[in-house]
Amino acid sequence: MKRQTITFQKESISSLADMRSDIRQKMSDSATSYILSIHQLSNTGYNWNSDENKMNMIRTWNDEDYDDYVVKVSTFKDETKIKLEADGYQITETIENI
């Protein structure tokens, strides 16, 4: 199994709901649709650090589902990251074998 943690931080956003909405607005429709479709499959969870205006999105994957995700997400991952970083986001991602 794998644990994927993606951290999004942006100074001007002060709530989890606002950050999730802001990120979705910057994603293409097909990217948003795909990310929403894997929510249950990847056991996605979110937490919010109000001191740092930071959201952690944590996903836990079976190895084969993660491998499939990597292939499917590659078409829009870099494009979305570039848009978010140009808009002031700091983004980090870690993958752990668990």
XYZ file of all heavy atoms in Angstrom:
805
model
N 0.846 -1.184 0.000
C 0.000 0.000 0.000
C 0.884 1.236 0.000
O 2.024 1.188 0.414
C -0.905 0.026 1.218
C -1.977 -1.051 1.200
S -3.251 -0.768 2.447
C -4.128 0.582 1.704
N 0.286 2.325 -0.455
C 0.994 3.596 -0.511
C 0.157 4.675 0.173
O -1.067 4.672 0.110
C 1.241 4.005 -1.952
C 2.073 2.996 -2.727
C 2.914 3.655 -3.744
C 3.706 2.701 -4.585
N 4.471 1.698 -3.948
N 0.871 5.606 0.821
C 0.230 6.795 1.381
C 0.790 7.998 0.627
O 1.990 8.238 0.618
C 0.496 6.953 2.867
C -0.168 8.225 3.430
C 0.062 8.428 4.910
N -0.464 7.307 5.659
C 0.248 6.556 6.500
N 1.518 6.802 6.717
N -0.296 5.555 7.145
N -0.099 8.723 -0.004
C 0.257 9.923 -0.754
C -0.220 11.125 0.051
O -1.385 11.209 0.410
C -0.431 9.889 -2.120
C -0.248 11.134 -2.946
C -1.146 11.138 -4.175
O -2.263 10.605 -4.142
N -0.665 11.738 -5.242
N 0.692 12.049 0.323
C 0.326 13.275 1.025
C 0.705 14.447 0.149
O 1.874 14.605 -0.228
C 1.054 13.387 2.383
O 0.757 12.229 3.161
C 0.613 14.634 3.131
N -0.281 15.256 -0.206
C -0.045 16.469 -0.980
C -0.428 17.642 -0.093
O -1.542 17.697 0.436
C -0.854 16.502 -2.285
C -0.596 15.233 -3.108
C -0.500 17.759 -3.094
C -1.471 15.109 -4.341
N 0.512 18.565 0.074
C 0.281 19.738 0.906
C 0.171 20.962 0.009
O 1.023 21.188 -0.854
C 1.436 19.920 1.911
O 1.508 18.751 2.724
C 1.217 21.138 2.784
N -0.905 21.706 0.216
C -1.148 22.944 -0.517
C -1.147 24.086 0.497
O -1.838 23.998 1.518
C -2.522 22.923 -1.186
C -2.705 21.815 -2.187
C -3.136 20.564 -1.779
C -2.467 22.031 -3.530
C -3.335 19.536 -2.689
C -2.664 21.011 -4.455
C -3.094 19.768 -4.039
N -0.408 25.128 0.198
C -0.380 26.277 1.091
C -0.473 27.548 0.252
O 0.215 27.692 -0.762
C 0.908 26.289 1.908
C 0.965 27.396 2.930
C 2.205 27.291 3.813
O 3.155 26.590 3.488
N 2.178 27.975 4.928
N -1.351 28.451 0.708
C -1.491 29.756 0.058
C -1.919 30.751 1.128
O -2.956 30.583 1.769
C -2.506 29.707 -1.079
C -2.588 31.013 -1.853
C -3.515 30.905 -3.041
C -3.597 32.252 -3.743
N -4.577 32.226 -4.822
N -1.144 31.781 1.303
C -1.357 32.761 2.375
C -2.758 33.369 2.385
O -3.354 33.570 3.429
C -0.324 33.886 2.260
C 1.099 33.434 2.439
C 1.565 33.531 3.870
O 1.000 34.344 4.618
O 2.495 32.795 4.223
N -3.291 33.675 1.211
C -4.534 34.440 1.147
C -5.805 33.610 1.315
O -6.904 34.154 1.299
C -4.610 35.207 -0.178
O -4.631 34.290 -1.263
N -5.683 32.304 1.491
C -6.865 31.453 1.656
C -6.925 30.996 3.107
O -5.953 30.478 3.643
C -6.836 30.262 0.687
C -6.893 30.799 -0.744
C -7.985 29.310 0.979
C -6.947 29.739 -1.803
N -8.090 31.185 3.728
C -8.167 30.964 5.178
C -9.105 29.850 5.616
O -9.455 29.756 6.781
C -8.566 32.272 5.867
O -9.804 32.716 5.369
N -9.526 28.979 4.669
C -10.357 27.846 5.084
C -10.183 26.683 4.115
O -9.832 26.874 2.942
C -11.836 28.236 5.154
O -12.397 28.310 3.861
N -10.447 25.505 4.619
C -10.364 24.294 3.806
C -11.330 24.367 2.631
O -10.959 24.088 1.492
C -10.658 23.065 4.668
C -10.705 21.714 3.962
C -9.364 21.378 3.333
C -11.120 20.623 4.928
N -12.553 24.771 2.876
C -13.555 24.840 1.808
C -13.130 25.820 0.715
O -13.262 25.530 -0.484
C -14.908 25.231 2.372
N -12.604 26.973 1.120
C -12.170 27.964 0.129
C -10.996 27.450 -0.689
O -10.921 27.673 -1.900
C -11.793 29.281 0.807
C -13.000 30.039 1.330
O -14.148 29.692 0.967
O -12.791 30.989 2.113
N -10.065 26.749 -0.039
C -8.912 26.232 -0.774
C -9.341 25.150 -1.750
O -8.918 25.153 -2.909
C -7.839 25.699 0.170
C -6.578 25.260 -0.589
S -5.169 24.929 0.474
C -4.644 26.614 0.859
N -10.166 24.232 -1.321
C -10.632 23.174 -2.234
C -11.351 23.781 -3.434
O -11.141 23.365 -4.572
C -11.524 22.193 -1.490
C -10.721 21.317 -0.521
C -11.572 20.366 0.252
N -12.200 19.389 -0.643
C -13.030 18.467 -0.254
N -13.352 18.353 1.027
N -13.556 17.618 -1.113
N -12.188 24.771 -3.189
C -12.911 25.438 -4.267
C -11.949 26.154 -5.207
O -12.079 26.075 -6.437
C -13.922 26.423 -3.677
O -14.552 27.149 -4.694
N -10.985 26.857 -4.653
C -10.017 27.601 -5.459
C -9.195 26.660 -6.334
O -8.975 26.938 -7.523
C -9.103 28.417 -4.541
C -8.230 29.385 -5.302
O -8.786 30.254 -6.008
O -6.990 29.276 -5.193
N -8.767 25.549 -5.775
C -7.987 24.583 -6.553
C -8.825 24.016 -7.689
O -8.371 23.934 -8.831
C -7.436 23.464 -5.647
C -6.358 24.033 -4.717
C -6.887 22.297 -6.473
C -5.925 23.097 -3.608
N -10.055 23.656 -7.412
C -10.930 23.094 -8.454
C -11.158 24.080 -9.585
O -11.260 23.691 -10.743
C -12.266 22.657 -7.861
C -12.144 21.371 -7.097
C -13.488 20.881 -6.630
N -13.307 19.692 -5.818
C -14.151 19.311 -4.890
N -15.249 19.997 -4.652
N -13.916 18.222 -4.198
N -11.246 25.365 -9.277
C -11.456 26.375 -10.320
C -10.274 26.452 -11.279
O -10.436 26.852 -12.432
C -11.694 27.744 -9.692
C -13.028 27.868 -9.006
C -13.180 29.203 -8.292
O -12.410 30.130 -8.506
N -14.186 29.301 -7.435
N -9.108 26.068 -10.816
C -7.916 26.149 -11.650
C -7.657 24.859 -12.429
O -6.765 24.814 -13.272
C -6.709 26.518 -10.792
C -6.821 27.959 -10.296
C -5.798 28.308 -9.276
C -5.934 29.737 -8.822
N -7.207 30.079 -8.197
N -8.416 23.835 -12.150
C -8.254 22.559 -12.840
C -9.190 22.495 -14.044
O -10.268 23.093 -14.034
C -8.584 21.401 -11.890
C -7.626 21.284 -10.725
S -8.142 20.052 -9.512
C -7.900 18.558 -10.430
N -8.788 21.743 -15.054
C -9.673 21.518 -16.191
C -10.878 20.689 -15.737
O -10.823 20.022 -14.696
C -8.930 20.779 -17.305
O -8.622 19.460 -16.886
N -11.940 20.711 -16.506
C -13.128 19.923 -16.163
C -12.815 18.431 -16.091
O -13.289 17.739 -15.197
C -14.254 20.166 -17.178
C -14.848 21.557 -17.068
O -14.647 22.233 -16.035
O -15.513 21.987 -18.033
N -12.003 17.948 -17.018
C -11.683 16.514 -17.016
C -10.818 16.150 -15.805
O -10.999 15.095 -15.207
C -10.994 16.102 -18.319
O -9.797 16.822 -18.509
N -9.908 17.037 -15.421
C -9.082 16.784 -14.233
C -9.945 16.758 -12.982
O -9.809 15.865 -12.146
C -7.988 17.842 -14.109
N -10.839 17.718 -12.842
C -11.731 17.769 -11.682
C -12.594 16.527 -11.613
O -12.738 15.913 -10.552
C -12.618 19.026 -11.738
O -11.779 20.182 -11.733
C -13.572 19.090 -10.562
N -13.142 16.139 -12.740
C -13.994 14.956 -12.790
C -13.227 13.707 -12.364
O -13.728 12.901 -11.572
C -14.533 14.798 -14.211
O -15.468 13.780 -14.270
N -12.007 13.552 -12.848
C -11.210 12.382 -12.474
C -10.874 12.400 -10.987
O -11.037 11.391 -10.293
C -9.928 12.295 -13.311
C -9.051 11.156 -12.850
C -9.463 9.843 -13.044
C -7.869 11.388 -12.184
C -8.697 8.785 -12.585
C -7.091 10.331 -11.720
C -7.514 9.035 -11.925
O -6.753 7.990 -11.449
N -10.425 13.528 -10.468
C -10.053 13.616 -9.054
C -11.260 13.302 -8.166
O -11.146 12.594 -7.167
C -9.457 15.003 -8.720
C -8.102 15.171 -9.416
C -9.341 15.224 -7.227
C -7.038 14.159 -9.017
N -12.425 13.805 -8.522
C -13.622 13.505 -7.738
C -13.983 12.021 -7.822
O -14.464 11.441 -6.848
C -14.792 14.372 -8.194
C -14.652 15.868 -7.885
C -15.797 16.655 -8.524
C -14.577 16.127 -6.401
N -13.710 11.386 -8.955
C -14.068 9.975 -9.128
C -13.192 9.044 -8.288
O -13.606 7.938 -7.967
C -13.993 9.571 -10.600
O -12.650 9.387 -11.017
N -11.983 9.467 -7.923
C -11.094 8.583 -7.156
C -11.188 8.833 -5.653
O -10.502 8.176 -4.884
C -9.618 8.718 -7.592
C -9.078 10.121 -7.315
C -9.447 8.292 -9.036
C -7.575 10.242 -7.466
N -12.033 9.730 -5.238
C -12.126 10.114 -3.825
C -12.320 8.896 -2.916
O -11.609 8.733 -1.928
C -13.250 11.122 -3.628
C -13.353 11.651 -2.239
N -12.492 12.590 -1.746
C -14.205 11.347 -1.240
C -12.806 12.856 -0.490
N -13.846 12.115 -0.163
N -13.259 8.026 -3.236
C -13.514 6.840 -2.415
C -12.448 5.768 -2.628
O -11.977 5.158 -1.676
C -14.896 6.259 -2.713
C -16.043 7.172 -2.338
C -16.077 7.474 -0.846
O -15.739 6.639 -0.028
N -16.481 8.683 -0.494
N -12.045 5.564 -3.875
C -11.058 4.538 -4.202
C -9.750 4.766 -3.449
O -9.115 3.826 -2.974
C -10.787 4.540 -5.710
C -9.676 3.629 -6.224
C -10.051 2.165 -6.047
C -9.388 3.934 -7.681
N -9.355 6.019 -3.310
C -8.060 6.329 -2.700
C -8.174 6.682 -1.219
O -7.185 7.072 -0.603
C -7.404 7.490 -3.442
O -8.193 8.668 -3.315
N -9.368 6.534 -0.652
C -9.556 6.862 0.769
C -9.016 8.251 1.099
O -8.213 8.430 1.994
C -8.905 5.810 1.664
C -9.475 4.436 1.432
O -10.686 4.268 1.428
N -8.618 3.462 1.222
N -9.445 9.242 0.337
C -8.941 10.605 0.481
C -9.457 11.256 1.752
O -10.644 11.193 2.057
C -9.353 11.466 -0.728
O -8.879 10.835 -1.918
C -8.777 12.860 -0.638
N -8.541 11.886 2.468
C -8.891 12.660 3.651
C -8.195 14.016 3.593
O -7.182 14.178 2.919
N -8.754 14.980 4.283
C -8.204 16.335 4.281
C -8.043 16.810 5.717
O -8.839 16.478 6.576
C -9.153 17.315 3.574
C -9.437 16.964 2.143
C -10.497 16.128 1.806
C -8.648 17.471 1.120
C -10.762 15.809 0.479
C -8.903 17.151 -0.198
C -9.965 16.331 -0.507
O -10.212 16.006 -1.812
N -7.005 17.617 5.943
C -6.945 18.338 7.202
C -6.442 19.744 6.928
O -5.787 20.004 5.925
C -6.142 17.603 8.284
C -4.694 17.427 7.949
O -4.007 18.361 7.576
N -4.205 16.201 8.079
N -6.787 20.654 7.813
C -6.522 22.074 7.628
C -5.714 22.609 8.805
O -6.052 22.369 9.960
C -7.843 22.839 7.518
C -7.652 24.312 7.343
C -7.862 25.272 8.286
C -7.204 24.986 6.176
N -7.569 26.504 7.771
C -7.156 26.354 6.467
C -6.817 24.553 4.899
C -6.761 27.311 5.550
C -6.425 25.514 3.978
C -6.404 26.864 4.294
N -4.644 23.331 8.497
C -3.835 24.006 9.508
C -4.100 25.496 9.363
O -3.592 26.137 8.434
C -2.352 23.684 9.296
C -1.454 24.384 10.277
O -1.714 25.503 10.703
N -0.359 23.734 10.625
N -4.917 26.051 10.251
C -5.316 27.458 10.134
C -4.184 28.424 10.462
O -4.201 29.569 10.021
C -6.536 27.751 11.013
O -6.252 27.456 12.355
N -3.191 27.981 11.221
C -2.051 28.855 11.534
C -1.202 29.136 10.297
O -0.592 30.196 10.179
C -1.166 28.235 12.611
C -1.864 28.156 13.961
O -2.780 28.980 14.212
O -1.510 27.268 14.751
N -1.172 28.187 9.390
C -0.313 28.317 8.206
C -1.087 28.383 6.890
O -0.473 28.424 5.822
C 0.655 27.134 8.151
C 1.582 27.059 9.350
C 2.516 25.863 9.275
O 2.720 25.313 8.181
O 3.036 25.471 10.326
N -2.424 28.391 6.953
C -3.256 28.349 5.742
C -2.784 27.212 4.825
O -2.460 27.405 3.658
C -3.249 29.675 5.002
C -3.952 30.757 5.779
O -4.597 30.483 6.788
N -3.845 31.991 5.330
N -2.780 26.018 5.396
C -2.231 24.850 4.723
C -3.236 23.701 4.765
O -3.824 23.422 5.802
C -0.943 24.420 5.425
C -0.203 23.297 4.767
C 0.980 22.821 5.586
C 2.078 23.844 5.637
N 3.285 23.343 6.334
N -3.402 23.041 3.619
C -4.261 21.871 3.521
C -3.403 20.663 3.194
O -2.570 20.708 2.290
C -5.289 22.055 2.399
C -6.138 20.819 2.136
S -7.310 21.020 0.778
C -6.247 20.826 -0.656
N -3.601 19.596 3.948
C -2.995 18.304 3.620
C -4.085 17.416 3.054
O -5.147 17.256 3.663
C -2.398 17.635 4.851
C -1.165 18.342 5.335
O -0.295 18.673 4.554
N -1.098 18.589 6.617
N -3.826 16.879 1.871
C -4.722 15.904 1.263
C -3.983 14.577 1.336
O -2.889 14.442 0.786
C -5.027 16.274 -0.181
C -5.943 15.300 -0.876
S -6.392 15.846 -2.538
C -4.809 15.857 -3.339
N -4.569 13.616 2.034
C -3.907 12.338 2.269
C -4.726 11.239 1.604
O -5.931 11.124 1.834
C -3.766 12.073 3.781
C -2.992 13.223 4.425
C -3.093 10.722 4.031
C -3.142 13.308 5.912
N -4.051 10.464 0.782
C -4.701 9.341 0.103
C -3.951 8.057 0.451
O -2.727 8.038 0.487
C -4.664 9.524 -1.410
C -5.410 10.740 -1.899
C -5.267 10.836 -3.393
N -6.000 11.962 -3.943
C -5.559 12.709 -4.929
N -4.396 12.472 -5.490
N -6.291 13.703 -5.388
N -4.714 7.002 0.664
C -4.132 5.684 0.902
C -4.583 4.777 -0.235
O -5.777 4.661 -0.502
C -4.594 5.125 2.261
O -4.294 6.086 3.270
C -3.878 3.826 2.576
N -3.624 4.170 -0.885
C -3.875 3.406 -2.104
C -3.421 1.951 -1.972
O -2.386 1.685 -1.377
C -3.041 3.962 -3.250
C -3.256 5.366 -3.641
C -2.596 6.461 -3.164
C -4.134 5.850 -4.655
N -3.031 7.583 -3.810
C -3.969 7.246 -4.730
C -5.051 5.235 -5.509
C -4.679 8.039 -5.617
C -5.762 6.026 -6.392
C -5.577 7.415 -6.440
N -4.143 1.059 -2.639
C -3.584 -0.244 -2.980
C -2.560 0.021 -4.079
O -2.738 0.944 -4.886
C -4.665 -1.191 -3.496
C -5.611 -1.603 -2.404
O -5.200 -1.827 -1.271
N -6.893 -1.687 -2.730
N -1.491 -0.756 -4.137
C -0.424 -0.492 -5.097
C -0.921 -0.420 -6.543
O -0.547 0.475 -7.296
C 0.693 -1.536 -4.984
C 1.512 -1.364 -3.715
O 1.506 -0.262 -3.129
O 2.169 -2.337 -3.305
N -1.771 -1.358 -6.940
C -2.236 -1.366 -8.334
C -3.114 -0.153 -8.642
O -3.069 0.403 -9.743
C -2.963 -2.677 -8.687
C -4.206 -2.964 -7.870
C -3.935 -3.665 -6.535
O -2.779 -3.902 -6.161
O -4.921 -3.974 -5.845
N -3.898 0.301 -7.676
C -4.715 1.502 -7.887
C -3.830 2.736 -7.984
O -4.083 3.636 -8.795
C -5.721 1.687 -6.743
C -6.783 0.609 -6.728
O -7.097 0.052 -7.812
O -7.305 0.308 -5.640
N -2.779 2.802 -7.176
C -1.853 3.930 -7.256
C -1.150 3.948 -8.609
O -1.026 5.002 -9.243
C -0.813 3.877 -6.128
C 0.176 5.011 -6.241
C -0.183 6.303 -5.860
C 1.444 4.808 -6.766
C 0.703 7.362 -6.001
C 2.336 5.863 -6.896
C 1.959 7.130 -6.519
O 2.833 8.179 -6.665
N -0.716 2.791 -9.088
C -0.053 2.717 -10.391
C -0.982 3.211 -11.499
O -0.554 3.948 -12.401
C 0.408 1.290 -10.687
C 1.513 0.824 -9.748
O 2.158 1.676 -9.089
O 1.727 -0.410 -9.659
N -2.248 2.835 -11.442
C -3.235 3.288 -12.417
C -3.432 4.805 -12.317
O -3.502 5.505 -13.328
C -4.563 2.549 -12.187
C -5.580 2.826 -13.262
O -5.245 2.668 -14.456
O -6.718 3.204 -12.910
N -3.493 5.311 -11.106
C -3.625 6.753 -10.871
C -2.465 7.528 -11.502
O -2.665 8.536 -12.167
C -3.695 7.021 -9.367
C -3.331 8.422 -8.951
C -4.250 9.464 -9.052
C -2.066 8.721 -8.449
C -3.922 10.752 -8.668
C -1.732 10.004 -8.062
C -2.654 11.021 -8.182
O -2.314 12.292 -7.810
N -1.239 7.040 -11.309
C -0.060 7.731 -11.846
C -0.174 7.882 -13.361
O 0.124 8.950 -13.907
C 1.239 6.988 -11.444
C 2.445 7.521 -12.206
C 1.472 7.115 -9.951
N -0.624 6.858 -14.031
C -0.778 6.919 -15.487
C -1.870 7.934 -15.863
O -1.667 8.785 -16.724
C -1.103 5.525 -16.061
C -1.509 5.617 -17.522
C 0.073 4.591 -15.867
N -3.003 7.845 -15.206
C -4.140 8.711 -15.571
C -3.920 10.172 -15.196
O -4.350 11.070 -15.912
C -5.417 8.186 -14.938
C -5.871 6.892 -15.571
C -7.132 6.374 -14.943
C -7.559 5.086 -15.635
N -8.696 4.468 -14.996
N -3.269 10.439 -14.081
C -3.105 11.812 -13.614
C -1.996 12.543 -14.372
O -1.965 13.773 -14.400
C -2.873 11.864 -12.089
C -1.439 11.510 -11.732
C -3.238 13.209 -11.512
N -1.115 11.804 -15.021
C 0.028 12.427 -15.693
C -0.384 13.426 -16.764
O 0.338 14.381 -17.029
C 0.944 11.362 -16.295
O 0.284 10.684 -17.335
N -1.556 13.262 -17.336
C -1.994 14.158 -18.409
C -2.308 15.570 -17.923
O -2.231 16.511 -18.687
C -3.238 13.604 -19.137
O -4.293 13.418 -18.191
C -2.929 12.284 -19.830
N -2.651 15.727 -16.664
C -2.996 17.067 -16.192
C -2.261 17.516 -14.926
O -2.377 18.665 -14.518
C -4.506 17.204 -15.968
C -5.081 16.212 -15.001
C -4.974 16.404 -13.648
C -5.743 15.085 -15.461
C -5.505 15.486 -12.760
C -6.278 14.164 -14.578
C -6.158 14.367 -13.222
N -1.496 16.644 -14.316
C -0.847 16.983 -13.043
C 0.098 18.180 -13.178
O 0.012 19.135 -12.406
C -0.096 15.777 -12.495
C 0.570 16.028 -11.162
C 1.268 14.790 -10.654
C 1.937 15.038 -9.329
N 2.618 13.848 -8.842
N 1.013 18.132 -14.132
C 1.976 19.218 -14.284
C 1.289 20.530 -14.649
O 1.635 21.588 -14.123
C 3.028 18.865 -15.335
C 3.963 17.749 -14.880
O 4.076 17.525 -13.649
O 4.574 17.106 -15.742
N 0.319 20.455 -15.539
C -0.418 21.655 -15.952
C -1.101 22.315 -14.755
O -1.030 23.538 -14.575
C -1.452 21.274 -17.008
C -2.379 22.387 -17.418
C -3.471 21.892 -18.356
O -3.117 21.249 -19.371
O -4.645 22.133 -18.059
N -1.749 21.523 -13.928
C -2.448 22.057 -12.756
C -1.451 22.621 -11.749
O -1.667 23.713 -11.206
C -3.311 20.961 -12.096
O -4.244 20.464 -13.066
C -4.054 21.506 -10.894
N -0.361 21.925 -11.522
C 0.643 22.400 -10.571
C 1.224 23.739 -11.017
O 1.397 24.650 -10.208
C 1.749 21.361 -10.400
C 2.742 21.737 -9.328
C 3.766 20.647 -9.087
C 4.706 21.097 -7.977
N 5.766 20.168 -7.715
N 1.512 23.884 -12.289
C 2.037 25.143 -12.817
C 1.049 26.279 -12.586
O 1.428 27.370 -12.150
C 2.392 24.992 -14.318
C 3.632 24.109 -14.461
C 2.601 26.348 -14.978
C 3.904 23.646 -15.882
N -0.229 26.032 -12.850
C -1.261 27.060 -12.631
C -1.339 27.459 -11.164
O -1.425 28.639 -10.829
C -2.637 26.552 -13.080
C -2.841 26.515 -14.557
C -4.252 26.023 -14.851
C -4.478 25.797 -16.315
N -5.829 25.258 -16.575
N -1.335 26.468 -10.279
C -1.443 26.753 -8.850
C -0.219 27.516 -8.340
O -0.358 28.494 -7.595
C -1.646 25.464 -8.061
C -2.980 24.756 -8.272
C -2.976 23.401 -7.569
C -4.141 25.608 -7.796
N 0.959 27.090 -8.736
C 2.169 27.776 -8.279
C 2.241 29.203 -8.829
O 2.672 30.115 -8.125
C 3.411 26.965 -8.641
C 3.535 25.723 -7.766
C 4.688 24.806 -8.143
O 5.213 24.895 -9.279
O 5.071 23.983 -7.278
N 1.779 29.411 -10.050
C 1.745 30.763 -10.618
C 0.774 31.652 -9.851
O 0.926 32.884 -9.832
C 1.353 30.704 -12.095
N -0.192 31.028 -9.192
C -1.189 31.769 -8.416
C -0.785 31.911 -6.943
O -1.570 32.378 -6.127
C -2.551 31.068 -8.531
C -3.687 31.918 -8.011
O -3.743 33.123 -8.352
O -4.515 31.388 -7.243
N 0.415 31.484 -6.589
C 0.905 31.694 -5.238
C 0.874 30.494 -4.311
O 1.185 30.619 -3.127
N 0.521 29.334 -4.817
C 0.515 28.124 -3.989
C 1.923 27.572 -3.823
O 2.742 27.636 -4.746
C -0.336 27.021 -4.633
C -1.807 27.167 -4.406
C -2.594 27.943 -5.256
C -2.424 26.527 -3.345
C -3.959 28.077 -5.048
C -3.790 26.651 -3.129
C -4.538 27.425 -3.987
O -5.891 27.554 -3.776
N 2.167 26.998 -2.661
C 3.338 26.152 -2.437
C 2.794 24.737 -2.317
O 1.847 24.494 -1.549
C 4.062 26.554 -1.165
C 4.653 27.933 -1.222
C 5.273 28.330 0.114
O 5.055 27.706 1.135
N 6.057 29.394 0.081
N 3.373 23.809 -3.089
C 2.858 22.449 -3.139
C 4.001 21.464 -2.919
O 5.063 21.595 -3.504
C 2.216 22.161 -4.518
C 1.121 23.187 -4.810
C 1.677 20.733 -4.593
C 0.629 23.177 -6.246
N 3.756 20.497 -2.034
C 4.702 19.405 -1.847
C 3.930 18.085 -1.901
O 2.743 18.039 -1.579
C 5.447 19.493 -0.500
O 4.491 19.454 0.560
C 6.280 20.759 -0.403
N 4.622 17.049 -2.314
C 4.008 15.719 -2.382
C 5.000 14.684 -1.874
O 6.179 14.725 -2.227
C 3.609 15.391 -3.813
C 2.983 14.029 -3.976
C 2.552 13.737 -5.394
O 3.010 14.411 -6.335
O 1.762 12.798 -5.562
N 4.512 13.779 -1.051
C 5.322 12.654 -0.597
C 4.543 11.367 -0.817
O 3.311 11.346 -0.697
C 5.716 12.766 0.898
O 4.532 12.825 1.678
C 6.570 13.985 1.155
N 5.267 10.315 -1.123
C 4.698 8.979 -1.299
C 5.462 8.047 -0.361
O 6.692 8.007 -0.400
C 4.850 8.470 -2.747
C 4.325 9.485 -3.768
C 4.201 7.097 -2.901
C 2.853 9.755 -3.689
N 4.723 7.313 0.467
C 5.334 6.365 1.388
C 4.771 4.975 1.149
O 3.573 4.839 0.887
C 4.999 6.709 2.844
C 5.379 8.090 3.293
C 4.759 8.366 4.661
O 5.325 7.897 5.669
O 3.701 9.024 4.701
N 5.596 3.974 1.238
C 5.119 2.594 1.268
C 4.704 2.291 2.697
O 5.454 2.555 3.626
C 6.204 1.626 0.816
C 6.460 1.718 -0.665
O 5.541 1.738 -1.460
N 7.729 1.799 -1.036
N 3.500 1.771 2.852
C 3.006 1.459 4.214
C 2.597 0.003 4.296
O 2.415 -0.670 3.326
C 1.848 2.373 4.635
C 0.702 2.341 3.624
C 2.353 3.799 4.798
C -0.532 3.074 4.082
